[in-house]
Amino acid sequence: MTIEYASIEQFYELIEPGLNSVELAVYAASITTFFALILVLYKRLHHDKLNTLPVNISGFGYAIPGTVLAMAMLATFGPLDNLINEWALSLNIEEPGLILSGTVFAIIFAFVVRFSAIANGTISGGVEQVAHSLDLAPLSLGMGSIKGIFKVHLPLLKSSIFVAWLLVFVEAMKELPAVLILRPFNYDTLSTQIYQLISDEQLEQGALGAISIVVFGLLPIIWLNKNEEKS
Amino acid sequence: MTHLIDIQQLAVKLQNKTILSDVSLSLEAGDILGLVGPSGCGKTTLLNTIAGFIEQSAGKIVIDEKMQIDLTNLVAPEERNVGMIFQDYALFPHLTIRENIGFGLFNLDKATCNSRVTELMSLLKLTELAERYPHQLSGGQQQRVAIARALAPQPKIILLDEPFSNIDARLRNELMIEIRQLLKSLNMTAIFVTHNKDEVFTFADKVAVMSEGRILQFGSPVLVSQQPNSWQVADFLQLGSWIPVKCNGDSAETAIGSLTDVHTENCQTGKTESSIMSLLVKPQHIRIENNENVNVEINHVGITEQGYHYIVSSLNRTDLSFDRLSFYSHDVFQLGQQLAFEIIHHEYLMFDQAPPR
């Protein structure tokens, strides 16, 4: 039915929100994975009492609903933006405007907070597979910890890092409530566009966007499953 | 002679628990030291402290007389020039054997690195395996790669954590001799950890017996096995069986006869006179008499490469009776058979306390 109703114009309408969605998801996945990697490796390689704290705290965001998180972002970034603009004014610099709460920064920040637990879990699983003696072996061969991470841990965690990235990417593509509240004016993603079309009872038009999200979500999962079978 | 490693009053505390205390030992270049002791006695902790993976809480480690490691100067593990061979070998699974061996040579130029790796591979008979990955190798081959990798940066000393525990029992002895010859040919100082006393006697020049975080005795394997300084040392090295003995100055009583000319220090000091002590009886100190004065009964028969293994208990049920005296013989005896035992006169080893049974 979707195909019957679909027209070339509708595809064109999807391009911009589609690119916005992909852009947001790529940023969110990359930043989340990067932080997860640092926190998980910190937990692994530091042996003080509080080494698990950062990774545990970063996982809390998963329990917060998108809407609540978005409100929290607004409540934090709004005053911060005001402060930045006041400073700029007092220093005689041009006011930057709502650089935190009025741009995609807030959305990406919310995504990173919300999806850290997913990336942490996946990368932790990968790190647990690496024998503890491999943390020490580079040291015993005269190589410092940081270089050891690049030479040993990162190559061994390659697939976990990629899986974490993909999972966050798929989640970020689908996320609606946070984007709906935090998006800048005239900024649409696939999910917000579908939401609007569906609210307007334009169910058939909305379906095309919905299918694109499903396809974006499915492709990496199919790829993952294939890879798993191979290994 | 200069000491290659000198450990002085080393102590380690982890989470307020004393793991090592007052550990002192020194090794000369080319010495191979075996650290033995029951599980949890701190031998692997000592190895990890020397390597720098665990921080010492007191004492000093001096490596090659130049590097002083103490609380004011805790040298990072990567700067100690101490090689380590891990129990699971810790080979890098994503690198080939050649890359694994060359891993520690990152500071050298490519040509020097290649020539050293090639030399080590031929020394350890790994040349044909150069392009394979660790999971494609047998346990013995993996261990040789781990040794080559540890030797590549030319460390002052190498540490081996239970190096033979994952090796097939049949190959173990062969590999031990091979690796000992290699270390000797390189004049490499080594410390290895084991809980197997046979490995000490095959592989080590010196032995340190540990218990509860302390070194009980340190010396050559021959000296330690001939003159253990405590019952724990004799018991851990399984030098023989324990039977109760009552001391009377120059003579002593056991459940299977009296001993004369007892020159054991403990017995002569008088402080333990007439009290019950423990006598170490090695299998070679037992003689079976061909007479009617039976004093023991066989309650276990086993077969070993040294002949039949028997465990006997004393017929005499006084405060000197015993239940587990081990001996070997090529003669066949029956379970329950009664024999006349005599302890041959030798340098008796007696201790105040017996191992718990």
Side-chain angles (χ1 to χ4, degrees):
Chain A
M1 201 161 77
T2 309
I3 293 162
E4 271 172 41
Y5 279 94
S7 61
I8 291 292
E9 287 74 30
Q10 271 184 305
F11 276 110
Y12 286 138
E13 275 170 30
L14 276 181
I15 289 176
E16 207 195 323
L19 286 177
N20 285 344
S21 279
V22 172
E23 186 190 24
L24 278 183
V26 166
Y27 279 131
S30 308
I31 296 169
T32 311
T33 312
F34 176 72
F35 281 117
L37 192 64
I38 290 179
L39 298 184
V40 170
L41 285 176
Y42 176 81
K43 176 185 165 187
R44 165 78 172 225
L45 300 173
H46 272 77
H47 300 288
D48 50 44
K49 278 180 194 163
L50 300 175
N51 63 350
T52 56
L53 207 60
V55 80
N56 289 347
I57 290 176
S58 78
F60 288 168
Y62 196 62
I64 308 171
T67 329
V68 178
L69 192 63
M71 297 311 292
M73 296 287 129
L74 284 182
T76 320
F77 289 146
L80 266 180
D81 268 334
N82 287 339
L83 205 67
I84 290 170
N85 284 304
E86 276 169 30
W87 276 342
L89 212 59
S90 67
L91 294 169
N92 280 333
I93 311 169
E94 197 184 334
E95 286 173 88
L98 302 176
I99 50 162
L100 301 178
S101 59
T103 61
V104 291
F105 175 83
I107 305 179
I108 292 170
F109 196 97
F111 280 180
V112 172
V113 173
R114 188 142 157 64
F115 302 132
S116 277
I118 299 175
N120 289 350
T122 313
I123 295 177
S124 290
V127 168
E128 273 160 31
Q129 306 272 317
V130 178
H132 274 277
S133 54
L134 291 183
D135 300 344
L136 304 175
L139 300 177
S140 78
L141 294 165
M143 189 180 275
S145 312
I146 303 289
K147 200 167 180 188
I149 287 175
F150 280 97
K151 290 270 184 187
V152 177
H153 294 86
L154 289 190
L156 290 176
L157 292 175
K158 217 161 44 186
S159 65
S160 310
I161 292 171
F162 191 55
V163 172
W165 191 92
L166 273 184
L167 289 178
V168 177
F169 177 84
V170 172
E171 285 288 336
M173 286 290 291
K174 294 187 300 189
E175 171 69 29
L176 174 68
V179 186
L180 213 51
I181 297 171
L182 293 171
R183 67 187 168 141
F185 295 113
N186 293 326
Y187 186 89
D188 267 314
T189 65
L190 281 181
S191 55
T192 60
Q193 204 197 27
I194 300 163
Y195 176 75
Q196 265 162 5
L197 292 171
I198 303 288
S199 319
D200 300 343
E201 295 281 321
Q202 290 175 285
L203 299 180
E204 296 82 2
Q205 277 84 348
L208 199 61
I211 287 175
S212 338
I213 290 190
V214 173
V215 170
F216 267 114
L218 268 183
L219 285 178
I221 302 297
I222 293 170
W223 183 87
L224 273 183
N225 285 345
K226 277 209 160 172
N227 244 26
E228 218 162 77
E229 275 169 30
K230 254 193 239 168
S231 65
Chain B
M1 204 65 156
T2 58
H3 287 147
L4 199 112
I5 183 163
D6 195 6
I7 298 173
Q8 299 163 15
Q9 277 119 38
L10 189 73
V12 171
K13 266 188 188 178
L14 293 174
Q15 289 155 353
N16 287 328
K17 212 177 141 202
T18 304
I19 311 289
L20 290 180
S21 57
D22 200 23
V23 170
S24 299
L25 56 88
S26 54
L27 294 178
E28 284 154 16
D31 275 350
I32 300 177
L33 166 70
L35 288 175
V36 288
S39 302
C41 69
K43 47 195 196 300
T44 298
T45 305
L46 176 55
L47 216 61
N48 283 330
T49 312
I50 297 171
F53 303 146
I54 295 177
E55 274 184 22
Q56 65 215 61
S57 47
K60 198 197 254 185
I61 302 171
V62 184
I63 298 172
D64 202 17
E65 297 194 325
K66 291 176 201 106
M67 186 184 287
Q68 303 236 356
I69 305 163
D70 54 26
L71 285 185
T72 57
N73 182 32
L74 285 168
V75 181
E78 62 269 27
E79 286 160 18
R80 291 193 181 194
N81 207 6
V82 171
M84 177 96 172
I85 291 152
F86 296 87
Q87 193 174 0
D88 61 356
Y89 313 132
L91 300 179
F92 305 119
H94 59 299
L95 301 179
T96 61
I97 300 315
R98 179 187 291 281
E99 290 165 335
N100 260 288
I101 297 173
F103 190 91
L105 304 176
F106 53 93
N107 283 332
L108 299 182
D109 62 87
K110 217 172 172 185
T112 323
C113 172
N114 277 341
S115 75
R116 201 180 291 172
V117 171
T118 311
E119 187 192 339
L120 277 164
M121 283 198 299
S122 77
L123 191 67
L124 282 140
K125 299 176 205 136
L126 292 166
T127 311
E128 284 168 18
L129 308 173
E131 302 312 320
R132 294 215 197 155
Y133 284 89
H135 70 269
Q136 297 170 307
L137 269 54
S138 70
Q141 289 168 333
Q142 288 188 17
Q143 197 199 37
R144 287 214 291 269
V145 176
I147 291 172
R149 187 181 69 176
L151 290 174
Q154 297 178 328
K156 293 279 177 208
I157 180 166
I158 65 168
L159 311 172
L160 303 97
D161 189 5
E162 305 217 10
F164 307 107
S165 61
N166 294 333
I167 306 283
D168 197 308
R170 208 166 45 85
L171 290 174
R172 196 176 294 164
N173 227 27
E174 206 176 301
L175 196 69
M176 264 193 272
I177 293 167
E178 192 184 316
I179 293 170
R180 184 180 155 83
Q181 284 170 345
L182 172 81
L183 294 177
K184 285 286 163 195
S185 70
L186 297 169
N187 198 31
M188 178 60 69
T189 313
I191 301 180
F192 76 103
V193 158
T194 180
H195 54 258
N196 183 338
K197 62 157 187 149
D198 297 330
E199 286 178 15
V200 176
F201 293 112
T202 314
F203 198 68
D205 301 315
K206 286 190 175 151
V207 53
V209 184
M210 293 184 69
S211 174
E212 292 171 357
R214 289 171 178 276
I215 291 183
L216 298 176
Q217 194 169 6
F218 172 63
S220 75
V222 176
L223 184 89
V224 173
S225 62
Q226 280 173 356
Q227 293 167 345
N229 66 359
S230 63
W231 67 264
Q232 288 100 327
V233 173
D235 192 49
F236 184 76
L237 296 175
Q238 294 165 31
L239 298 176
S241 313
W242 299 95
I243 67 168
V245 58
K246 195 182 274 176
C247 234
N248 287 314
D250 263 2
S251 63
E253 282 298 319
T254 74
I256 50 173
S258 343
L259 312 174
T260 50
D261 289 336
V262 179
H263 297 300
T264 307
E265 215 177 283
N266 287 354
C267 220
Q268 297 200 330
T269 51
K271 66 172 180 180
T272 51
E273 201 171 321
S274 292
S275 65
I276 292 183
M277 298 173 70
S278 290
L279 171 72
L280 180 74
V281 183
K282 297 183 183 181
Q284 65 266 33
H285 294 142
I286 293 168
R287 183 168 56 214
I288 302 169
E289 296 288 305
N290 224 346
N291 59 35
E292 297 298 307
N293 303 329
V294 290
N295 50 16
V296 294
E297 183 179 272
I298 295 176
N299 44 29
H300 169 81
V301 182
I303 301 169
T304 67
E305 64 252 49
Q306 291 107 316
Y308 293 99
H309 173 222
Y310 299 100
I311 295 175
V312 300
S313 59
S314 61
L315 291 175
N316 173 340
R317 304 315 290 176
T318 60
D319 54 352
L320 292 175
S321 66
F322 57 83
D323 293 313
R324 297 186 62 81
L325 173 59
S326 225
F327 84 103
Y328 297 88
S329 169
H330 289 289
D331 299 330
V332 183
F333 301 113
Q334 302 301 317
L335 199 65
Q337 191 174 339
Q338 297 186 344
L339 300 169
F341 264 27
E342 193 191 350
I343 297 172
I344 301 166
H345 184 264
H346 63 283
E347 284 288 317
Y348 302 113
L349 285 166
M350 292 180 195
F351 299 101
D352 288 344
Q353 203 186 336
R357 289 279 176 236

